[in-house]
Amino acid sequence: MLHQLSWMVGGQQGEGIDPTGSILSKALNRQGYFIYGYRHFSSRIKGGHSNYKVRISTKPRLSNADALDMLVAFDQETIDLNARELKPGGLILGDSKFKPSVDRNDVQLLHIPLTEIAEELGSRIMKNMVAIGATTAILGIDPSIFTDMIKKQFARKGDKIVQANLEAIRKGAESAKEQLNPKTDFTLAPADGKSRLLMMGNDAISLGAMAAGCRVMPAYPITPASDIMESLVKRLPEIGGVVLQTEDEIAAVITAIGASYAGARAMTATSGPGLSLMMEAIGLSGMTETPLVIVDTQRGGPSTGLPTKNEQSDLNTVLYGSHGEIPRIVLAPSTAEECFYDTVHAFNYAEQYQCPVILMTDLALSLALQTVEQLDYSQVKISRGKLLSDEEVAALTDENGYFPRYADSPDGISPRAMPGQKGGIHYVTGVEHNEIGRPLEGTANREKMMKKRMRKLENVQLPNSLITREKDDAEWLIVGFGSTRGPIEEAREQLAADGIPTSHLHIRVLAPFPTQSVKDVLSRYERVLVVENNATGQLAAQLRQYVGDISTIYSQTKFNGDPYYPSEITEHVKELMAHGNSQRLSYVR
Amino acid sequence: MATVKDFRTSVKPNWCPGCGDFSVLAALQRAAANLDLDPSQMAIVSGIGCSGRISGYLKAYGFHGVHGRALLAAQGIKMANRDLTVIAAGGDGDGFAIGTNHTIHAMRRNIDITYIVMDNQVYGLTKGQTSPRSTQGFKTKSTPDGSLEREISPLQLALASGVTFLAQGFSGSTKELTKLIEAGIQHKGFSMINVFSPCVTYNKINTYDWFKENIVSLEDDPDYDPSSREMAMQKVMSTNELCTSIIYQEQRPSYTELLPNANHKPIVKQELELGEERFQELVAEFA
C-alpha cells in the first residue's frame, strides 16, 4: 500500500492533457488526498509534447516526485520521452499499438484500449476519461468518485454526453482490472477525507485580490500571469470593479497608478518582460508615494527566454529595477495559501507605506495545482493607512486651499487625500517636490524628501518575513524563496532518513530585507546552502550582502527550466559534505 | 458660481514669455469656470515637457507623471471615480511620439476624459530637437540638415482611431479655444483638442503670425457638418490639417457607461469588504 504516488499523463498539446490531470486531481483532492499537479507545456497552442504530473499523497506535498510510479501515454512519444522517469516496476498505460520503452525493460506496459473505447463511445477526446477510470482502478479507488463532477461538468451538453463519459470511466477501470498483474501493488492508502481546496498560486492571488478590495485590474496578457486577469474579469465586474486589457504593460501599470491615486485599490500582474516595461512607472509610484501592487510571476529569462518554464531570476530586477532610489516592498510567498494571504498584505502595505509592493511568485508556484487548507476570511483585514476622511482632510488644508500631501513625519508617511475630497487639493509629481507637492530642486529639500521617503521602510521588519524549521542537531541550514519550498522540505526528509538532520529557512519578505532575523538564524549554523532556480545565485548574493560575516554560504543553482527534484538537493548536500563545493560563494569570517 | 479665480494658483508658470501654453491654461481655467466645475471634483494629469507643467498651474487635483503616459493615469482615475472631471494634457511629443500608442487606444476605448495637446511642433524643454509634428525639412539640433520624416497628422490619426470628439484650436484665439474646451469637457466620451501652441523660443517657422495667415476656422463654413466623419476627413486633408473649431463629434456610449459595473457606485465610493458569504461562494469553486 502506497502513501504517495506520482502519476503523469502525456501527449500532444491540445489533446486534453490538462483536463485529464485536473479532473483526476480534483476528485482525489475531494477524497482528502494532498495533490501537487505540475503542467509541462511548451510555447505553442497545439501540437508538441505536453505532460501533466500529479503527485497524490496522504500528507502535504509541494514538489514533483523524484520518480514516476505511473505514466499514461496518449502517444508513443510520451513513452519515448518520459519512460526514463519511471521507477523500476513502474507502469505505463497506453493503446495496444504502443511499443514498450526501448531502454526500460524494468517497467510494465499495460495495454488499455484508450482510443478504441473512446471512439466506440462516440469521441476520441473521451480517452482522457478512459485513462482516469483505468488509473483509479489501479489505485484501488472506486471510479464513482467522478460521477458528481462529470454530471456537473457536462450538464449543459446533455445526459447522453454525461452517460458516455461515465461509461468511458467505467470501461477504463474494467480494462485495467482485467490486465493488472496482481503482484504489483499500486493501492493507495486511504486519505483522511477532510475537505480542502485545490488551486494554483494564480487562483489564490485572484482570491486574495478580491478579498482585499481590489477593484481595478489593468493588465496585458503574458504567461504565466494571464490567469490572474482572466479569473478577475469573471468576478470583479459583478461587485462593481473593472478589469481592463490594456495596449501594453506600461499602460497597465500607469492606469493602475492612476486608479490608486484616485483612491481605488488597484493591481496589475505580469511576468519578467512585462515587469521590465513597468520599471519607469515603479519609480513614479515610489516618488509620488502612490500605492501600487504588482504581481510578478517569474518565468525563464532573459528576454523571451523560456516563457513556459520555471525560473527565479527576476529577484535582482524586483529589488533594484527602476532608476534612482525608492522604498519598495517585495513579498515572495512560497505556497498557494501564502499567495492568498500575502496578496491581502500587499494591498495593505501599499497603502500603509504608500509605495510599490511587488508580489513575486514563479511559474511553478503560479501554475501548479496544490491542496490548500480552508482559507480563513476572518484573517482578512483591510487597512488603508493614512488615507483620510473628508473631515480629517479639511482640517489639514492650508490658507491657500492646499493639502500638504507630502508633509514630513517621523515615520516618513504622510497623510493622503484623494481627488474628489473637498480641501484635499494637492499636486503630485514625479519631479522632486516640497511638502505641498511643488517641484523644488534645492539641495536641502532634496535631502529632506529623500530621507522622508526612505525612512518609511528603514527600520521596518514586516511580520512573517521568515519561515523557519530548525533542528537542534542540524549542521546545515537550507535557504530558499518561492516554489523551492516543497523540494527543500522533501529533501530534508530524505536527508533525515539518511541520518543528516538539516534546518530550513524560507524568506518570504525580500524587501525590506529582514536582516536581523536572518542573521540570528544563520548564526546558528556552520554551513548554509542557498537553493534557487537561477544561474547566478541571486538570493545567495542577498544573504552575502546583508549577513556577510556569518559562516560559509554555499550556493546551489538550477536554471534548465524545470523546478528542483528533491533528490537533487539531497545529493548536493551529500556531495558538499564529501567534497566541498566549487560553487561556494563566500568565505567571509 | 465658480469663477476663473477658483482655478488659479499662486505659482508663476516657468514658461517662456509669449509661450502659447499660457493661453491654453487661461482657456482651461475660463472653461472650467463657465461650466461651474468644482476644483476638488476635477483632476488634471499631464506628461513631461513644458506642456506637462500645466497640471501644477491649474487649481484642481494635479498629477504630473512620466513622459507620454498622461492618458493612462487619467483613464485610471476616471475608472476609479467616474464622478470626476478628468483632463489629460501634454505636448505633441507626449501624444504623438512616446505616447502615440496610448493616444490611439484611449480614442478607441472612448473613455470620458478630455485630452488637450499643446502642439508646438518642436521639443522645447530639452532645448529644441525635432518633434513628430515638425514639418519635413524642419531644421533643429537633432535634424541639422532638416527632418527627413513626414510629420504626424493628429487629426487624421484621431478620426481613423474612432475618436468621438475632435477639435483643433489656436493659442492666438483664446476665446474660440475656451469654447472648444468647454464642448470637449461636456462631451460624453473621449474628446481630443489639438491646440497650435507656438514655441516662441525654438520654432521660428510656425509662429503666431504664420498660423494667423494659414489657419481657417470651420465656423466660417456654414455647410460644414461635424457629425460626418467623411466630411471631417476631407476637410482635414484639404486644409492640410490647418483648420480650427469642432471638427468631428458623434454620440457613442463611453467606456465607463458600457462597463458591467455601470449600475454600481463609483469604485472609490464602494465598500471594500467582500463579506464572508460572498467569499465562501468564490472559494467553493476550488473545493
Side-chain angles (χ1 to χ4, degrees), chain A residues 207-267:
Chain A
L207 275 176
M210 291 284 291
C214 174
R215 290 292 181 277
V216 180
M217 204 278 184
Y220 189 75
I222 187 168
T223 303
S226 302
D227 313 80
I228 300 172
M229 168 173 69
E230 287 164 18
S231 70
L232 283 175
V233 79
K234 280 188 246 162
R235 296 162 173 161
L236 267 186
E238 64 188 61
I239 58 162
V242 50
V243 173
L244 170 75
Q245 182 179 324
T246 53
E247 54 271 27
D248 58 31
E249 284 90 347
I250 296 173
V253 69
I254 300 184
T255 305
I257 289 175
S260 176
Y261 158 75
R265 285 199 150 188
M267 171 178 91

Side-chain angles (χ1 to χ4, degrees), chain A residues 7-25 38-41 47-54 72-75 78 125 127-128 132:
Chain A
W7 175 94
M8 181 202 273
V9 57
Q12 294 289 301
Q13 207 141 294
E15 230 182 345
I17 306 296
D18 279 10
T20 318
S22 56
I23 290 169
L24 181 71
S25 298
Y38 188 79
R39 267 194 304 153
H40 183 283
F41 60 114
H49 178 74
S50 145
N51 64 55
Y52 199 127
K53 280 181 187 172
V54 181
V72 173
F74 283 171
D75 58 11
T78 297
I125 197 74
K127 67 184 172 187
N128 53 18
I132 286 169

Side-chain angles (χ1 to χ4, degrees), chain B residues 150 153 155-156 159 168 196 210 213-218 221 224-225 228-244 247:
Chain B
R150 235 200 70 169
S153 305
L155 307 184
Q156 292 178 56
L159 288 169
Q168 187 156 262
F196 294 124
W210 185 90
E213 274 169 35
N214 287 285
I215 52 178
V216 290
S217 175
L218 300 183
D221 179 355
Y224 188 72
D225 174 12
S228 161
R229 191 181 291 264
E230 201 180 344
M231 198 183 270
M233 192 60 109
Q234 273 172 2
K235 187 60 110 182
V236 161
M237 289 174 80
S238 66
T239 60
N240 196 23
E241 304 237 346
L242 290 165
C243 49
T244 59
I247 289 159

Side-chain angles (χ1 to χ4, degrees), chain A residues 155-403:
Chain A
R156 270 185 310 159
K157 294 190 174 175
D159 192 49
K160 215 173 147 190
I161 300 287
V162 171
Q163 289 311 321
N165 278 280
L166 290 175
E167 188 64 5
I169 291 173
R170 199 187 60 77
K171 286 203 162 171
E174 218 167 63
S175 169
K177 273 189 220 158
E178 277 166 16
Q179 294 176 66
L180 191 63
N181 178 347
K183 274 182 282 181
T184 331
D185 183 17
F186 288 98
T187 315
L188 261 186
D192 65 5
K194 206 178 144 194
S195 156
R196 298 184 185 86
L197 308 170
L198 182 69
M199 62 177 75
M200 307 187 295
N202 278 348
D203 297 322
I205 289 170
S206 307
L207 275 176
M210 291 284 291
C214 174
R215 290 292 181 277
V216 180
M217 204 278 184
Y220 189 75
I222 187 168
T223 303
S226 302
D227 313 80
I228 300 172
M229 168 173 69
E230 287 164 18
S231 70
L232 283 175
V233 79
K234 280 188 246 162
R235 296 162 173 161
L236 267 186
E238 64 188 61
I239 58 162
V242 50
V243 173
L244 170 75
Q245 182 179 324
T246 53
E247 54 271 27
D248 58 31
E249 284 90 347
I250 296 173
V253 69
I254 300 184
T255 305
I257 289 175
S260 176
Y261 158 75
R265 285 199 150 188
M267 171 178 91
T268 188
T270 191
S271 188
L275 186 74
S276 293
L277 291 179
M278 293 180 183
M279 280 303 159
E280 185 190 28
I282 292 173
L284 178 69
S285 156
M287 185 59 151
T288 58
E289 309 191 39
T290 310
L292 173 66
V293 176
I294 299 177
V295 179
D296 174 36
T297 56
Q298 299 170 92
R299 63 187 213 185
S303 186
T304 311
L306 297 171
T308 62
K309 302 288 186 285
N310 186 52
E311 205 166 272
Q312 300 179 304
S313 51
D314 292 350
L315 178 57
N316 287 341
T317 311
V318 300
L319 292 176
Y320 304 113
S322 191
H323 52 293
E325 295 158 311
I326 51 161
R328 73 182 83 195
I329 293 171
V330 176
L331 307 179
S334 60
T335 63
E337 192 174 350
E338 287 179 7
C339 283
F340 173 77
Y341 294 109
D342 282 358
T343 304
V344 177
H345 296 150
F347 280 96
N348 287 338
Y349 294 154
E351 290 204 305
Q352 284 164 355
Y353 295 99
Q354 300 177 12
C355 72
V357 178
I358 301 174
L359 184 81
M360 181 172 56
T361 65
D362 48 46
L363 184 137
L365 176 56
S366 297
L367 297 186
L369 266 184
Q370 51 180 271
T371 298
V372 174
E373 295 295 340
Q374 294 296 339
L375 298 171
D376 180 7
Y377 183 69
S378 72
Q379 282 188 42
V380 175
K381 301 274 183 274
I382 293 175
S383 160
R384 308 211 62 186
K386 293 187 187 175
L387 184 61
L388 304 185
S389 68
D390 291 358
E391 296 71 32
E392 291 168 320
V393 166
L396 290 172
T397 312
D398 70 11
E399 65 276 15
N400 298 317
Y402 280 99
F403 175 81

Side-chain angles (χ1 to χ4, degrees), chain A residues 238 400 421-422 428 438, chain B residues 38 56 59 61 64 109 278:
Chain A
E238 64 188 61
N400 298 317
Q421 283 188 298
K422 281 236 179 302
V428 163
R438 292 286 157 204
Chain B
D38 173 352
K59 179 100 177 245
Y61 279 89
H64 180 216
R109 202 168 283 136
R278 180 80 187 107

Side-chain angles (χ1 to χ4, degrees), chain B residues 100-146:
Chain B
T100 322
N101 188 23
H102 311 308
T103 305
I104 291 169
H105 287 277
M107 289 192 280
R108 54 181 280 263
R109 202 168 283 136
N110 195 33
I111 191 162
D112 187 13
I113 59 181
T114 299
Y115 182 36
I116 302 171
V117 184
M118 287 166 256
D119 181 0
N120 61 10
Q121 295 159 272
V122 74
Y123 279 14
L125 204 55
T126 49
K127 305 204 166 165
Q129 297 85 0
T130 192
S131 105
R133 286 280 298 132
S134 303
T135 326
Q136 195 166 22
F138 191 68
K139 287 187 180 178
T140 69
K141 282 182 186 164
S142 59
T143 51
D145 300 321

